[in-house]
Amino acid sequence: MELLTWLFCAIALIGFMAYNRASLSTFTISFAVLMAVGTLLDVVSFFGWFMFILVILPFNIIDFRKNYLSLPLLKAFQKIMPEMSDTEKEAIDAGTTWFEAELFRGCPDWQKLHNYPQPRLSVEEQAFLDGPVEQVCKMIDDWHTTHERADLSPEVWQYLKENKFFAMIIKKQYGGLEFCAYAQSRVLQKLSGASTVLASTVGVPNSLGPGELLQHYGTTEQQEYYLPRLATGKEVPCFALTSPEAGSDAGAIPDFGVVCNGEFEGKEVLGMKLTWNKRYITLAPIATVLGLAFKLRDPDGLLGDKKELGITCALIPTDIEGVITGRRHFPLNVPFQNGPTQGTDVFVPLDFIIGGPEMAGQGWRMLVECLSVGRAITLPSNSAGGIKSVALATGAYSRIRRQFKLPIGKMEGVEEALARIGGNAYLMDAVTTLSTGAIDLGEKPSVVSAISKYHLTEKMRSCITDAMDIHGGKGICMGENNYLARGYQGAPVAITVEGANILTRSMIIYGQGAIRCHPYVLAELESANNPNEKQALNDFDHALFGHIGFAISNIVRSKWMSYTGSRFVRSPFNDDTSRYYQLMTRFSSNLAMLSDIAMLTLGGDLKRRERISARLGDILSYLYLASASLKRFNDEGRQTQDLPLVQWAVEDSLYRTQKAIDELIGNFPNTFIAFALRAVIFPLGTWLKKPSDITDHKVAKILQTPCDARSRLGQGQYLTDDGENLLGKLETALLNIIASEPIFDKVCQALNEKLPFYQLDLVAEKGLSANVISEDEAQLLITAEQQRLAVINVDDFDNDELISATFTTKK
């Protein structure tokens, strides 16, 4: 009996130590104490001590462990380590890790998440949103912009320049606004609710482009010349990276420059002849200064011994002879200024390189470092803002539009789609807030930016499709009263740019996340590449045995939480959200375990197993999305009215996390390991479900009912009813329709007749004739009818209006 008790204690001690990630020394001392107790109980013999010492001693004698365990493994690791290109190395080195690293390590510190300060707008930033941003939203006519002009009006262009919309990232010392990342996000969200063209036009110069690159890497002379001109709109920038032969694989650009001597503005100078063919370049048709990425060569050794200097970035004035711009692409009827640019043997001085000649060959590092910030702001914010506006508009439309004698929003099929829109709108705003908050704390979150870009643009595409389904004919008939069609048409644009979503999901999120977020993998890789053998061995030994302990811990944690349902995991709150934290901790341990097993069994082949990598990235991503939703709920005061929204957002993310794990195990190449993984992670099968019908109903009701939760969901969007703003008029119509319903019911009861809820002006006449409503109530019914018709009616055109002016001219 004593032996069984001791064995039970030994197993419990090993499990406890592994679960809590005890150090090797702590484990050794603790188990030695247990061995001593066993000796006193006469259940541990001399042979037991001999075996204990034989196993444990080699790991605790540092020099022995390094020379006889770590060194052979280091040499083997160096031989099998997959080759990594220079661009891959620079991409991995770019940016920083943040809370996503906590999610990757199997034991997230939730208090750390909630201790991050909630982003706030300064007085100046709020005034900009309430003033210039509100004003330019009033000025924009999206139908005129997209259908008639295929461009912003001259008045809007001038207003944007005069009010420094293109200078949000430029420091005040150069005349810029120097807004924080969170403020930039709020500006773009508001603009995107009014016009996709407007938001794209403002977003790009404030993202990856000359302004950002100059501030970080430009010479003093470049900064002092260009930044004030960019801030005031005297210069219009663009940045040219993508070419016909190099899209997502930007490192493969064929565009090149050759270092040589030549004449520039009448003087003989050391410079470079540039040849390029770029496409998909936003603002290129109207740009005055072209940021250009190319590969620089020095065949004559004018700069040194290195012949191939690598990717370089330069600023090229577009009025230089040989620079070709002006033609436009036409991206899915969303005609923001976008087009190709070319040049052949265009000679410019070396001083045109951003940062000067010493930055030659440093372009890729510059780009990926800046992209780790910009990619978390522009496209995620445009997507979130658009869907916030769509959520309120679709909710209002669903409440106003009736079929079968009831608002269509009360139909369960419509409720399901409304819930997806509302829940995702809540989540998307939460993600942009958390991610931009990280940037404002000084982070350059490359993994978070990839997660945000991919998932928020995908959710935008899904939500705009749901909104179109609900609106039906109202959504598909284009015209000046259609507020959905251009967003629906242009959704694939956001999916494609700044790293195609397929690539981002299958290669970037986990490819960077596994190395950057894992506590030991990067250290192992760096030690394997360290030419200093002694330092390499020391670093590798520390990382290797830390990694072994980490892996064992996550196996134990995963198994324990699977068999206990993670019910014993601590949660920072004891309310309706506490279970979410427990499940997320469980899935975090699962992710850490799955990552180690995938890397151990697949090795370098994991890089080519893109669908395995994609699903691992999905697990990390959905945990981050859920974390952002919970963070938002807490930052906004844990409002009970918002609970259905956070429930939908988190439960959907958790369900998708479970699905990603299930699919990963089901498609794991090694069937024996797959069986073992399923036994550890899902011993009783999968159990999480999508958000319930009850939750869907509650979210749909929030979207259709004016309330504080609905106001918070649409906070910051352009909803002013100025007589022209379609969304503002829709909001007013919603209020009046709801206010008119009791009056309508009063008339029906008085007449003992169930009237249809249309032709409310005639209902008003009947009510007045029956003397059951007042003049004010009758006027409300008349106004509500006018607004109802404006909401449900669609545009129509004379046939000649739909014929292209170009076609008419040719005839």
Side-chain angles (χ1 to χ4, degrees):
M1 186 64 185
E2 289 86 355
L3 176 60
L4 290 175
T5 302
W6 187 88
L7 287 173
F8 176 81
C9 292
I11 294 171
L13 178 63
I14 293 171
F16 179 81
M17 289 289 176
Y19 185 94
N20 289 285
R21 298 177 177 170
S23 65
L24 179 61
S25 58
T26 301
F27 176 82
T28 302
I29 294 170
S30 300
F31 207 85
V33 170
L34 184 63
M35 291 286 289
V37 172
T39 303
L40 293 174
L41 295 175
D42 201 26
V43 295
V44 175
S45 64
F46 172 80
F47 180 75
W49 277 102
F50 175 77
M51 293 301 298
F52 171 69
I53 293 171
L54 185 66
V55 171
I56 208 70
L57 205 57
F59 294 102
N60 282 275
I61 301 175
I62 305 297
D63 289 338
F64 180 89
R65 186 181 75 195
K66 287 181 181 178
N67 292 315
Y68 293 99
L69 296 177
S70 297
L71 183 58
L73 290 171
L74 173 59
K75 291 180 178 179
F77 183 67
Q78 289 171 329
K79 291 179 181 178
I80 66 171
M81 186 175 64
E83 186 176 348
M84 192 177 296
S85 67
D86 290 339
T87 54
E88 286 178 312
K89 291 176 183 176
E90 289 178 339
I92 288 171
D93 290 340
T96 61
T97 58
W98 193 54
F99 189 74
E100 76 279 14
E102 288 285 324
L103 298 171
F104 208 98
R105 294 176 185 184
C107 187
D109 183 348
W110 299 116
Q111 202 57 54
K112 181 178 181 180
L113 171 70
H114 291 299
N115 284 341
Y116 291 129
Q118 182 182 7
R120 303 281 187 184
L121 295 173
S122 68
V123 173
E124 180 184 1
E125 290 163 344
Q126 186 63 60
F128 187 78
L129 277 163
D130 295 339
V133 178
E134 180 81 7
Q135 180 59 35
V136 81
C137 287
K138 291 180 182 179
M139 294 172 66
I140 198 77
D141 180 337
D142 200 48
W143 178 247
H144 177 66
T145 298
T146 59
H147 182 71
E148 297 170 354
R149 292 196 61 89
D151 192 10
L152 300 173
S153 69
E155 294 78 15
V156 170
W157 273 111
Q158 189 60 32
Y159 190 84
L160 294 175
K161 293 175 181 179
E162 289 176 353
N163 288 274
K164 301 183 179 181
F165 277 81
F166 302 137
M168 289 192 289
I169 62 170
I170 296 177
K171 294 179 180 178
K172 290 182 179 179
Q173 69 184 88
Y174 301 112
L177 297 176
E178 199 174 348
F179 283 174
C180 68
Y182 176 66
Q184 294 174 48
S185 175
R186 306 317 283 189
V187 170
L188 294 175
Q189 286 194 28
K190 189 167 185 174
L191 295 178
S192 67
S195 167
T196 302
V197 174
L198 180 61
S200 299
T201 300
V202 172
V204 170
N206 288 290
S207 182
L208 178 62
E212 181 81 354
L213 294 171
L214 281 169
Q215 290 199 123
H216 287 285
Y217 310 105
T219 64
T220 301
E221 292 78 12
Q222 290 171 340
Q223 291 172 341
E224 291 179 349
Y225 177 77
Y226 276 114
L227 290 175
R229 298 171 67 84
L230 290 170
T232 57
K234 290 181 180 179
E235 301 279 6
V236 177
C238 71
F239 190 81
L241 176 61
T242 304
S243 73
E245 305 300 333
S248 296
D249 184 12
I253 53 174
D255 314 285
F256 65 93
V258 178
V259 179
C260 60
N261 289 298
E263 185 177 308
F264 187 79
E265 295 182 345
K267 297 179 181 179
E268 188 74 15
V269 298
L270 181 62
M272 49 193 174
K273 282 187 177 180
L274 304 174
T275 297
W276 71 90
N277 179 23
K278 304 287 191 179
R279 64 180 182 180
Y280 310 151
I281 311 305
T282 298
L283 297 184
I286 60 169
T288 61
V289 58
L290 169 69
L292 184 67
F294 56 93
K295 289 182 177 176
L296 187 61
R297 304 167 185 165
D298 185 15
D300 298 327
L302 298 177
L303 296 180
D305 297 332
K306 195 173 182 180
K307 305 297 184 183
E308 299 290 337
L309 297 174
I311 295 176
T312 301
C313 296
L315 289 180
I316 315 297
T318 57
D319 59 0
I320 289 179
E321 185 178 354
V323 177
I324 300 173
T325 59
R327 292 190 64 80
R328 295 179 62 180
H329 300 309
F330 191 33
L332 290 172
N333 276 338
V334 184
F336 57 95
Q337 290 285 345
N338 183 279
T341 174
Q342 301 87 23
T344 302
D345 290 337
V346 177
F347 181 80
V348 296
L350 279 180
D351 289 343
F352 279 29
I353 294 174
I354 297 177
E358 58 268 29
M359 292 300 287
Q362 300 299 309
W364 185 247
R365 177 177 63 85
M366 295 159 59
L367 293 175
V368 293
E369 286 180 351
C370 289
L371 191 61
S372 65
V373 172
R375 189 161 51 185
I377 302 174
T378 306
L379 289 171
S381 299
N382 287 353
S383 298
I387 295 309
K388 285 167 62 177
S389 293
V390 164
L392 266 61
T394 307
Y397 180 83
S398 299
R399 187 66 178 76
I400 295 168
R401 174 66 167 160
R402 292 188 175 225
Q403 292 286 276
F404 308 106
K405 298 183 179 180
L406 77 162
I408 63 171
K410 293 187 177 181
M411 299 177 182
E412 289 193 353
V414 174
E415 281 188 343
E416 182 181 5
L418 277 173
R420 286 196 295 266
I421 298 171
N424 279 315
Y426 183 90
L427 179 149
M428 293 166 75
D429 199 10
V431 171
T432 57
T433 299
L434 183 62
S435 303
T436 54
I439 295 168
D440 290 331
L441 291 174
E443 302 291 342
K444 293 182 177 180
S446 55
V447 178
V448 162
S449 68
I451 291 172
S452 301
K453 189 272 175 180
Y454 171 78
H455 285 279
L456 267 59
T457 55
E458 288 291 343
K459 286 181 178 295
M460 174 272 295
R461 176 162 62 176
S462 171
C463 288
I464 197 72
T465 300
D466 278 331
M468 288 290 285
D469 287 349
I470 292 171
H471 281 76
K474 173 72 175 179
I476 65 173
C477 289
M478 298 184 66
E480 60 184 10
N481 291 302
N482 189 312
Y483 44 82
L484 283 181
R486 292 306 190 201
Y488 177 78
Q489 286 181 314
V493 176
I495 302 296
T496 301
V497 299
E498 290 190 8
N501 275 10
I502 290 177
L503 170 101
T504 302
R505 174 176 178 259
S506 62
M507 297 176 66
I508 294 178
I509 294 176
Y510 186 75
Q512 287 189 332
I515 296 174
R516 293 303 310 275
C517 297
H518 196 287
Y520 300 106
V521 167
L522 184 58
E524 290 168 340
L525 290 173
E526 289 176 341
S527 62
N529 285 294
N530 191 339
N532 185 324
E533 294 183 1
K534 183 177 180 180
Q535 186 63 48
L537 179 58
N538 288 336
D539 293 344
F540 185 77
D541 175 79
H542 181 268
L544 173 65
F545 284 94
H547 195 160
I548 292 171
F550 177 75
I552 293 171
S553 172
N554 285 309
I555 293 172
V556 171
R557 290 175 62 84
S558 291
K559 190 169 184 178
W560 171 255
M561 284 188 273
S562 295
Y563 281 84
T564 61
S566 61
R567 295 284 179 180
F568 299 105
V569 175
R570 290 183 181 179
S571 170
F573 302 100
N574 186 25
D575 59 10
D576 291 317
T577 67
S578 63
R579 183 66 180 144
Y580 300 148
Y581 292 98
Q582 293 176 332
L583 292 171
M584 290 165 67
T585 299
R586 172 180 177 172
F587 285 142
S588 175
S589 292
N590 294 161
L591 170 61
M593 181 188 73
L594 288 166
S595 295
D596 281 331
I597 290 175
M599 286 186 280
L600 177 65
T601 58
L602 299 177
D605 195 42
L606 179 58
K607 183 178 177 180
R608 292 173 289 277
R609 297 275 187 170
E610 293 176 17
R611 298 188 73 175
I612 297 292
S613 176
R615 290 175 179 121
L616 287 166
D618 288 344
I619 302 168
L620 176 62
S621 297
Y622 288 122
L623 288 174
Y624 181 76
L625 302 185
S627 299
S629 302
L630 290 168
K631 166 73 170 163
R632 174 182 180 175
F633 182 62
N634 188 61
D635 284 349
E636 293 182 349
R638 310 187 73 78
Q639 303 289 334
T640 303
Q641 204 177 70
D642 294 352
L643 195 56
L645 293 166
V646 74
Q647 285 174 330
W648 195 99
V650 177
E651 288 173 14
D652 181 69
S653 297
L654 289 174
Y655 171 76
R656 292 174 184 272
T657 303
Q658 175 187 257
K659 182 179 178 183
I661 296 173
D662 183 47
E663 290 181 353
L664 189 154
I665 295 173
N667 290 277
F668 203 81
N670 188 310
T671 54
F672 175 77
I673 291 176
F675 177 82
L677 288 173
R678 190 170 295 281
V680 170
I681 297 176
F682 297 133
L684 301 177
T686 57
W687 77 102
L688 288 177
K689 306 296 182 184
K690 293 180 180 180
S692 69
D693 293 353
I694 293 174
T695 302
D696 281 357
H697 171 75
K698 291 178 179 178
V699 172
K701 186 176 181 180
I702 288 173
L703 293 191
Q704 299 175 78
T705 309
C707 59
D708 290 342
R710 187 176 187 273
S711 297
R712 281 189 289 271
L713 191 66
Q715 185 177 15
Q717 295 308 107
Y718 177 53
L719 301 172
T720 305
D721 185 0
D722 55 12
E724 298 295 332
N725 179 13
L726 295 177
L727 301 188
K729 291 194 291 184
L730 190 54
E731 288 294 294
T732 300
L734 173 65
L735 294 173
N736 286 336
I737 286 293
I738 291 174
S740 69
E741 287 176 347
I743 304 172
F744 174 82
D745 291 339
K746 188 193 301 184
V747 174
C748 290
Q749 290 173 5
L751 299 177
N752 195 27
E753 184 180 356
K754 184 59 177 177
L755 300 170
F757 196 83
Y758 57 81
Q759 296 182 331
L760 300 181
D761 51 342
L762 299 182
V763 174
E765 290 181 11
K766 292 182 178 181
L768 287 173
S769 298
N771 201 31
V772 294
I773 61 173
S774 67
E775 290 287 346
D776 287 343
E777 289 174 322
Q779 185 56 51
L780 179 58
L781 286 173
I782 294 169
T783 300
E785 176 64 12
Q786 294 170 347
Q787 293 171 338
R788 187 188 70 83
L789 289 174
V791 168
I792 68 172
N793 285 339
V794 299
D795 297 284
D796 52 65
F797 302 89
D798 184 272
N799 184 65
D800 291 342
E801 293 181 79
L802 299 179
I803 299 174
S804 167
T806 303
F807 178 76
T808 304
T809 302
K810 287 181 179 179
K811 288 180 65 178

